């Protein structure tokens, strides 16, 4: 078993903290929550220090934040149905754009790896793709593929491929059709038996991990046309198959999952206050992989854990957010 | 959500009220820790008003002490409630009122589940899923109108 050790506890939010997001290259971190504020911390002398509070961008709960790949912008989404874009100007951040269009609560936001596209999703069942060009934001697509509340959007690590998770128990994959520039659903991943709360790609984008209210996490493998495993791909599009289900580890809803692009470790945030770490076994068959739990931090928070996020910079460093108003920094070591 | 012009359940069945909780010797002993029990949870929710009738959830048998499960060590409270009719459109509002009351009254260490008593509502799976989704509950509780209605339900009438 590895060890997951808490390095620091960051307090200051009032009420539930919903999400954390790492800066892509610096040792900096943002958090958001019920108090309608974004807090930004950076590493100084070995400790994370709160540097800025971004307020007055939203009139209701801020559900999620996401740093742009260049590190110059932060996108935030809120129950107030809007998305705010914050731009770094000197040492301050300024809200430079508000994206409107969703009918009600916006639940998740993510930047594509190129930084040219932003995806948002909402309780209105839709996923929106926005194009960003020199501080101009235009809606490129409104995708109505889910039958219910959409909980999470995540981009593929290298390509303009988007995945979404929903209250309708499915995950969907979207891609732009270059002929008519429409965004189409190219795969529906069905197997979970309740709300899919979150998802995360692995480093190559060939696998996805999903987590659900059904208390399981699932690993999905992409099979491209003409794959060596002999998996049929009708219509010449990739097929995503559920190749592994991890059940029996979580005792309540799993609210978030993150697949570390550096170490391959998977972290989960659970309604039983616990953070768990999983790793693929060395002799694992790629078509029927086996994962084992390598660490457990019980009572990681004194209430539900809402988010876990691996640092893109420091392997083993993990941030979490909880209903107990806290943000915590962890370190995993074998 | 305003009061319906026409009552959905015109003639609900009425039940008696339970008496006061019996005070035991241990209750008065300061040395003994008073742990939450089903009766205490029941006392917190029995006087919630029905959204439609000037009656409490206890009088309508929507909540009952024997449908409450408490595990102090595991910080777990489970409340099953019984809608007065299987097509009751108020069922989510009633469940939400019970949830809000317990959220406000219990220490935050408790995980509260509020569910429809199995077999007593036509869309119990959908109602249970919505009541268990804390994100949707949080969003609903930022709706001032809805909070006003819930506050009316949970306020004890004298």
């Amino acid at each position: 078993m590895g060890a997951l050790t808490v390095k620091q506890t960051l307090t200051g939010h009032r009420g539930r903290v919903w999400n954390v997001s790492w800066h892509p290259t610096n040792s900096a971190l943002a958090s958001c929550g019920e108090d309608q504020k974004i807090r930004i911390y950076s590493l100084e002398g070995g400790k994370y220090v709160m540097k800025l509070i971004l307020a007055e961008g939203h009139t209701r709960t801020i559900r999620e934040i996401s740093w742009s790949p260049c590190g110059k912008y932060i996108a935030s989404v809120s129950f107030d149905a809007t998305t705010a874009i914050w731009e770094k100007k000197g040492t301050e951040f300024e809200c430079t754009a508000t994206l409107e269009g969703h009918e009600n609560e916006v639940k998740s936001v993510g930047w594509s790896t190129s930084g040219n596209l932003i995806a948002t999703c909402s309780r209105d069942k839709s996923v929106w793709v926005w194009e960003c060009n020199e501080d101009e934001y235009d809606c490129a697509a409104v995708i109505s593929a889910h039958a219910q509340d959409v909980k999470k959007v995540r981009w593929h690590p290298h390509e303009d491929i988007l995945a979404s998770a929903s209250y309708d128990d499915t995950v969907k994959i979207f891609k732009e059709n270059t002929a008519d520039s429409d965004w189409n659903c190219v795969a529906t991943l069905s197997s979970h038996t309740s709300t899919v709360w979150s998802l995360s790609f692995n480093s190559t984008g060939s696998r996805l991990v999903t987590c659900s209210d059904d208390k399981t996490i699932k690993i999905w493998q992409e099979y491209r046309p003409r794959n060596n495993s002999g998996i049929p791909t009708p219509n010449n599009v990739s097929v995503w198959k559920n190749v592994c289900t991890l059940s029996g580890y979580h005792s309540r809803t799993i609210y978030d999952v993150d697949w570390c692009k550096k170490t391959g470790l998977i972290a989960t945030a659970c309604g039983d206050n616990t953070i768990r770490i999983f790793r693929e076994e060395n002799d694992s068959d790629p078509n029927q992989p086996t994962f084992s739990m390598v660490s457990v931090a019980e009572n990681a928070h004194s209430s539900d854990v809402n988010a876990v996020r691996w640092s893109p910079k420091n392997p083993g460093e993990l941030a979490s957010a909880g209903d107990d108003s806290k943000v915590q920094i962890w370190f995993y070591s074998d | 959500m305003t009061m319906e012009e026409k009552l959905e359940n015109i003639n609900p069945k009425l039940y008696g009220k339970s008496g006061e909780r019996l005070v035991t010797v241990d209750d008065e002993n300061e040395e003994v820790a008073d742990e939450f029990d089903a009766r205490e949870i029941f006392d917190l929710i029995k006087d919630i008003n029905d959204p439609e009738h000037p009656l409490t959830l206890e009088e309508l048998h929507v909540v009952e002490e024997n449908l409450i499960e408490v595990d102090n060590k595991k910080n777990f409270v489970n409340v099953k409630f019984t809608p007065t009719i299987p097509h009751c459109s108020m069922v989510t509002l009633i469940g939400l009122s019970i949830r809000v009351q317990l959220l406000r009254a219990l220490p935050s260490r408790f995980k509260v589940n509020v569910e429809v008593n199995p077999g007593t509502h036509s869309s119990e799976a959908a109602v249970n899923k919505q009541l268990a989704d804390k994100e949707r509950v949080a969003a609903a509780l930022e709706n001032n109108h809805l909070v006003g209605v819930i506050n009316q339900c949970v306020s004890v009438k004298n």
Side-chain angles (χ1 to χ4, degrees):
Chain A
M1 289 286 272
L4 186 63
T5 321
V6 65
K7 290 290 168 195
Q8 206 179 339
T9 300
L10 298 159
T11 57
H13 273 294
R14 296 182 73 173
R16 170 182 282 160
V17 189
W18 274 115
N19 194 237
V20 280
S21 175
W22 289 98
H23 187 282
T25 51
N26 295 333
S27 291
L29 179 75
S31 62
C32 66
E34 192 180 355
D35 62 5
Q36 307 168 11
K37 292 183 173 72
I38 300 168
R39 298 170 80 88
I40 298 175
Y41 320 83
S42 65
L43 195 62
E44 281 183 2
K47 286 275 171 197
Y48 286 90
V49 179
M50 212 279 292
K51 303 296 281 184
L52 283 173
I53 295 178
L54 314 186
E56 283 156 26
H58 292 289
T59 55
R60 291 183 60 187
T61 284
I62 304 178
R63 177 65 181 88
E64 196 170 272
I65 43 182
S66 179
W67 231 300
S68 66
C70 65
K72 200 179 156 196
Y73 302 91
I74 291 173
S76 59
V77 293
S78 165
F79 286 177
D80 70 11
T82 70
T83 303
I85 307 292
W86 305 81
E87 185 179 348
K88 190 167 193 206
K89 294 193 167 166
T91 56
E92 297 288 316
F93 272 86
E94 204 177 293
C95 180
T96 53
T98 303
L99 315 185
E100 293 176 352
H102 280 295
E103 282 169 33
N104 38 43
E105 297 97 84
V106 192
K107 301 290 180 75
S108 176
V109 60
W111 301 76
S112 68
T113 304
S114 65
N116 296 329
L117 298 169
I118 298 173
T120 57
C121 64
S122 161
R123 191 165 71 90
D124 69 12
K125 306 172 189 174
S126 69
V127 172
W128 290 45
V129 178
W130 310 79
E131 274 170 356
C132 12
N133 290 307
E134 294 168 24
D135 297 342
E136 289 287 322
Y137 301 87
D138 295 308
C139 174
V142 175
I143 312 167
S144 305
H146 281 291
Q148 289 288 345
D149 189 358
V150 190
K151 298 295 196 186
K152 199 69 79 183
V153 280
R154 287 288 176 259
W155 289 94
H156 187 284
H158 310 297
E159 296 175 52
D160 285 344
I161 292 171
L162 181 65
S164 61
S166 167
Y167 189 88
D168 71 9
D169 308 350
T170 71
V171 170
K172 287 179 182 283
I173 313 272
F174 307 103
K175 228 176 144 173
E176 190 181 13
N177 178 344
T178 41
D180 57 9
S181 71
D182 263 357
W183 282 76
N184 299 319
C185 174
V186 293
T188 299
L189 286 56
S190 304
S191 178
H192 280 297
T193 56
S194 190
T195 303
V196 188
W197 277 97
S198 189
L199 72 164
S200 181
F201 282 97
N202 68 346
S203 61
T204 61
S206 64
R207 279 180 175 174
L208 260 178
V209 59
T210 55
C211 67
S212 165
D213 179 52
D214 69 12
K215 307 185 182 83
T216 70
I217 63 173
K218 288 176 182 282
I219 311 287
W220 307 77
Q221 167 89 41
E222 181 188 20
Y223 290 95
R224 296 186 170 238
R226 293 172 301 279
N227 63 79
N228 295 329
S229 306
I231 304 293
T233 53
N235 308 324
N236 234 16
V237 293
S238 287
V239 165
W240 288 82
K241 276 177 73 91
N242 173 212
V243 291
C244 176
T245 299
L246 293 163
S247 49
Y249 291 100
H250 300 84
S251 65
R252 295 185 71 85
T253 304
I254 312 162
Y255 290 109
D256 200 14
V257 64
D258 194 35
W259 203 330
C260 181
K261 309 295 181 274
K262 285 200 176 308
T263 62
L265 294 165
I266 292 172
T268 62
C270 187
D272 62 10
N273 308 356
T274 299
I275 297 174
R276 295 173 177 84
I277 311 287
F278 297 86
R279 183 165 53 201
E280 186 170 7
E281 286 176 10
N282 289 330
D283 54 357
S284 174
D285 171 355
N287 293 310
Q288 278 178 300
T290 44
F291 284 77
S292 51
M293 190 164 70
V294 292
S295 196
V296 188
E298 280 177 17
N299 292 314
H301 285 263
S302 58
S303 198
D304 295 2
V305 190
N306 293 320
V308 276
R309 204 68 73 228
W310 292 103
S311 159
K313 190 168 174 268
N314 303 319
E317 194 175 26
L318 183 80
S320 65
D323 271 0
D324 59 0
S325 312
K326 288 174 184 159
V327 170
Q328 303 212 93
I329 311 289
W330 304 80
F331 198 81
Y332 174 83
S333 59
D334 286 325
Chain B
M1 226 178 288
T2 52
M3 284 287 194
E4 298 288 321
E5 292 286 309
K6 243 174 88 186
L7 291 178
E8 204 177 81
N9 184 358
I10 298 166
N11 196 11
K13 204 171 166 191
L14 282 187
Y15 299 83
K17 289 188 182 187
S18 56
E20 290 284 305
R21 178 195 175 107
L22 290 173
V23 178
T24 64
V25 180
D26 277 354
D27 284 338
E28 288 174 344
N29 184 351
E30 298 289 328
E31 303 293 311
V32 176
D34 285 339
E35 298 217 309
F36 284 94
D37 58 17
R39 175 63 208 227
E40 200 161 351
I41 304 298
F42 182 63
D43 282 344
L44 289 169
I45 59 177
K46 71 182 174 61
D47 294 322
I48 296 175
N49 302 297
D50 181 78
E52 200 173 53
H53 295 284
L55 296 163
T56 67
L57 297 187
E58 178 189 23
E59 289 169 306
L60 294 166
H61 260 207
V62 172
V63 294
E64 296 170 74
E65 187 179 338
N66 61 10
L67 292 176
I68 297 169
E69 202 188 327
V70 182
D71 189 328
N72 257 288
K73 286 208 177 60
K74 290 183 177 160
N75 296 319
F76 176 75
V77 173
N78 185 292
V79 175
K80 291 191 175 68
F81 69 104
T82 313
T84 55
I85 46 169
H87 295 280
C88 179
S89 63
M90 304 284 177
V91 61
T92 315
L93 179 60
I94 292 170
L96 209 49
S97 299
I98 297 171
R99 230 199 129 108
V100 167
Q101 176 73 349
L102 294 177
L103 231 52
R104 289 176 180 168
L106 292 178
S108 61
R109 66 185 167 96
F110 277 103
K111 308 284 183 187
V112 177
N113 280 10
V114 177
E115 302 170 346
V116 175
N117 194 9
T120 63
H121 197 271
S122 53
S123 48
E124 64 182 66
V127 172
N128 288 345
K129 190 171 184 179
Q130 200 161 345
L131 288 173
D133 185 322
K134 71 167 185 179
E135 185 185 59
R136 288 167 72 124
V137 169
L141 296 182
E142 288 185 1
N143 176 332
N144 287 335
H145 176 71
L146 185 58
V147 171
V149 174
I150 290 170
N151 283 342
Q152 265 176 14
C153 289
V154 300
S155 66
V156 177
K157 291 202 182 83
N158 290 314

